[in-house]
Amino acid sequence: MKIAVCVKQVPASQDAKMDPERGTLIRDGAVATNPYDLFAVEAALRIREQTGGEVTAFSMGPQSAEKTLRDAIAMGADHGVLISDRAFAGADVLATSYTLSQALAAKGPFDLIVFGRQTTDGDTAQVGPAVAVHLGRPYLCWIQELIGCSEEEIRVRCSGSRGDLECGIRPPCVICVDKGIGQPRIPALKAKLAAKKAPLECLSAADLPDQDPMHYGLEGSATRVEKIYPPYRGEKGFRLQGSMEENADRVSRWLSLAANGEYEGIRWEESM
Amino acid sequence: MKKFVEAYSDRYEEYLRDESRYTGSCEEISFPDTVEAMAETARECLKQGRSVTVQGARTGLCGAGVPAGGHLLSTEKLERLVSVTEEDGRTLVCVEPGMRLSALAAELAARRSGAAFLPNPTETTATVGGAFACNAKGPNGLLYGSVGDRTAEAEILLADGTVMKLRRGEAVLRNGACTLPDGRELRVEGLPADAGGYSGLLSLHEGEDLLDVFAGSEGMLGIVLNLTLEARKLPSEQWGIVFFFGEEGDPLGFAEAAAGAQEEFPGDTRLAVGEYFHETALSMVDSMRSTIQGLAALPDFPAGTRQAVYLEVCGESEDDVGEALMMLLELFTEFGGNEDDTWAGTGAAEMEKFRLLRHAAPEAANVRVSEARLACREITKLAADFTAPAECRRELVELYESGLAGTGLAGSIFGHVIENRMHVNVFAGNEQEYRAGRELLASWARAVAGMGGCVISENGVGKLKRELLRESADPGRLERARAVKEFFDPKGLLNPGNLF
């Protein structure tokens, strides 16, 4: 089976800054592979273990996104393709998914395209399904478990608003996996060292089938981000960190204070 | 000032113990929120002859911050970063004593200057003051030394109520004496030539900086008001590798060979961390994946894993570090490892997983002690961090293995294998086992002393290891420690009950 997995480099810190002019993230700090995409790579590798074939990792981003492709190769991916061009900068979900679909078409066709649930910078969870639509492929999202995989069918368990659903999807298709599929493997030293020197392919705008610049980057985007701000956080939550006995004592003390009308909120230091 | 001080009541019960589960008592407790308030509160107590125990985050492992009566002064509200300055190419960070190590790391990371406080005690919720008080090292002590080693200056409230500013290099013990910043002279008879592996009061030796005597003195010489720490630029290449060994492998032989191979590493490449997981520790960590936060995010260990060694390698050149890693991989297979049975990561985020694994070893032990205490309240943590000479690495582990097997007690062995400073925990389920465990620790202490090793390392003496110290330490060291304690705190009001 010919499998593609899409991975993205994201800011490692939650303190993201925004370019007020372009409405895009400023990516000048520490970066890391999107944590959800590690599960996508893991899913792709597990499927390859069952069906045979090869896994190609794709990443759209600046040259530094090479590191993310090398991470996927260290985990076990066979090839890496970097989709990088200044013309792609500032892309929203529509333009990103279109660019990815063009790159996948250029290097494909693929029997299976795997995405992580979402990225931790955009957080839309829409790119995977949008790529499926651009390519005219069926797709499944929120996959929590890979039940069985063959050339004919990928059988999975998905989570939904009304409970879990066990279903199958026939390749060629797109799947978006969640953390339930199993912990991503950690690369072995030899593989990690080899990945640093693995050859990568680079695709620019000139390599894509559609040559209309209006379909890429900021020009090809249907939306603009006006503002990025941290969500409002209510009263600070905390985890009780003592032993079971200590925690039970604390909760019981707070409850009896509340019962006597003496409860004035929990002191932060009491939770530790 | 009164607003910071309260009479002790049950709501503060958890302040009477630390991670060792040793429990003490106090009459009053205070939570000053400025160092001025802290100094004033302490002065008032000392003036009235009340003892003061300074307490950090209660992450200690030997009860050093647990009060033995008197006033308990918590530093938990003193968590500010006071200043960051550049001096002679160094980044100096002045912090209040209650700042957590994790908060310090986050503050420095947010500045994006690449500078970090490099000693990395695995318990990152510990306070800087607590880490200084026990002179904690952490796994990378191998390369970066202890918290005390990276302290440039300390402002300390002495028992007489005066404040002493102690700068590295300004007060050094020479010919058995040193002049304090206030002009007084401290004289200590019969100083040995070296620290003998000890910290703080026990390390007293010729040529020692007074700052290093205060670091590791468990709060017995003065109350730290703030500390100026030296941050350094992180190496550009950092790798963490877990080497897993099956039944046939020889992790101790590998660790020893890796330590030796370091001399042949190209360029400035060095081992920063060398940690060992005996099967007792690894299996305990594995069984607590769902209990210890973050551990569930690690994949399963390779099939057949019995023991492991975790190494961190760093340097400035990618090629040099790569070459050193290949040397280690060759050694790993030579000592029975399978090259696929490794986990490798680069940079802070990836290595964090491995550090979490390492920290899970003591965490798992603490969980087990807490569970045992539900059945028997007498039980406290039974642990030691003996340091043996490098040539006794295997002998030390065999000593622990045979002791555990002989008594039938469960245990956990892990720690700083390159420095041969390994942690051992003994688990008791009832009073009888607890007593047997104490005896076992004491017998190990005598054996380690016989090897020429050191029975007290980075976790300190506190109140739990006083007997161990008395039984195995050089009486001369104890005598000199008493004399210096007497000099700085003649009434014995600061952190009473520790050490002696």
Side-chain angles (χ1 to χ4, degrees), chain B residues 123-384:
Chain B
E123 180 52 82
T124 57
T125 63
T127 63
V128 172
F132 177 81
C134 66
N135 201 19
K137 274 189 172 177
N140 71 10
L142 180 64
L143 188 62
Y144 300 117
S146 65
V147 170
D149 292 336
R150 301 290 163 214
T151 302
E153 189 176 315
E155 202 169 60
I156 297 163
L157 178 77
L158 297 176
D160 63 7
T162 61
V163 174
M164 176 172 74
K165 204 165 226 181
L166 205 48
R167 291 193 184 89
R168 183 163 294 283
E170 288 186 358
V172 178
L173 283 161
R174 298 207 190 284
N175 301 319
C178 83
T179 307
L180 270 52
D182 62 11
R184 285 185 295 161
E185 187 172 67
L186 168 69
R187 294 201 69 81
V188 193
E189 300 296 326
L191 281 179
D194 59 48
Y198 289 99
S199 268
L201 275 166
L202 296 168
S203 70
L204 284 163
H205 65 278
E206 193 60 37
E208 187 171 23
D209 196 301
L210 196 57
L211 197 50
D212 292 326
V213 179
F214 274 77
S217 67
E218 303 184 1
M220 295 175 67
L221 302 182
I223 297 173
V224 171
L225 300 177
N226 62 49
L227 291 168
T228 301
L229 308 169
E230 187 191 334
R232 283 188 174 193
K233 195 171 174 302
L234 285 163
S236 51
E237 285 291 312
Q238 296 182 87
W239 282 71
I241 315 101
V242 188
F243 296 89
F244 293 97
F245 289 84
E247 190 146 10
E248 302 304 314
D250 178 8
L252 293 174
F254 169 67
E256 200 163 320
Q262 188 175 206
E263 301 307 317
E264 291 158 35
F265 284 174
D268 62 355
T269 308
R270 285 287 171 271
L271 283 178
V273 171
E275 297 292 307
Y276 169 61
F277 296 85
H278 186 267
E279 58 185 296
T280 50
L282 213 50
S283 61
M284 184 180 278
V285 166
D286 208 20
S287 69
M288 291 199 184
R289 281 174 177 268
S290 58
T291 313
I292 297 175
Q293 201 176 359
L295 213 51
L298 288 176
D300 291 340
F301 301 142
T305 291
R306 297 288 292 271
Q307 305 185 70
V309 171
Y310 172 56
L311 300 178
E312 283 184 16
V313 181
C314 66
E316 295 300 330
S317 153
E318 186 179 330
D319 288 345
D320 287 351
V321 171
E323 198 179 315
L325 291 167
M326 288 309 294
M327 287 167 72
L328 291 172
L329 196 56
E330 271 175 36
L331 284 176
F332 176 55
T333 51
E334 236 172 74
F335 283 89
N338 173 344
E339 64 182 21
D340 289 332
D341 293 344
T342 56
W343 285 352
T346 53
E350 289 178 14
M351 284 155 62
E352 189 55 37
K353 290 179 190 167
F354 309 147
R355 290 176 179 176
L356 175 75
L357 175 68
R358 167 60 181 81
H359 186 54
E363 280 286 292
N366 293 344
V367 169
R368 178 133 184 196
V369 174
S370 291
E371 285 170 358
R373 274 174 62 81
L374 294 174
C376 175
R377 299 299 295 178
E378 196 192 338
I379 290 173
T380 60
K381 189 176 174 80
L382 291 172

Side-chain angles (χ1 to χ4, degrees), chain B residues 64-147:
Chain B
V66 173
H71 185 99
L72 174 58
L73 201 160
S74 168
T75 62
E76 68 182 27
K77 288 185 178 169
L78 301 167
E79 51 186 0
R80 282 169 288 261
L81 186 147
V82 179
S83 65
V84 180
T85 53
E86 299 293 328
E87 193 181 299
D88 304 330
R90 300 180 305 166
T91 301
L92 297 178
V93 192
C94 181
V95 297
E96 292 181 344
M99 183 173 221
R100 309 259 177 165
L101 292 170
S102 53
L104 172 63
E107 286 270 8
L108 288 170
R111 287 168 190 265
R112 295 184 179 178
S113 66
F117 184 58
L118 293 176
N120 65 344
T122 62
E123 180 52 82
T124 57
T125 63
T127 63
V128 172
F132 177 81
C134 66
N135 201 19
K137 274 189 172 177
N140 71 10
L142 180 64
L143 188 62
Y144 300 117
S146 65
V147 170

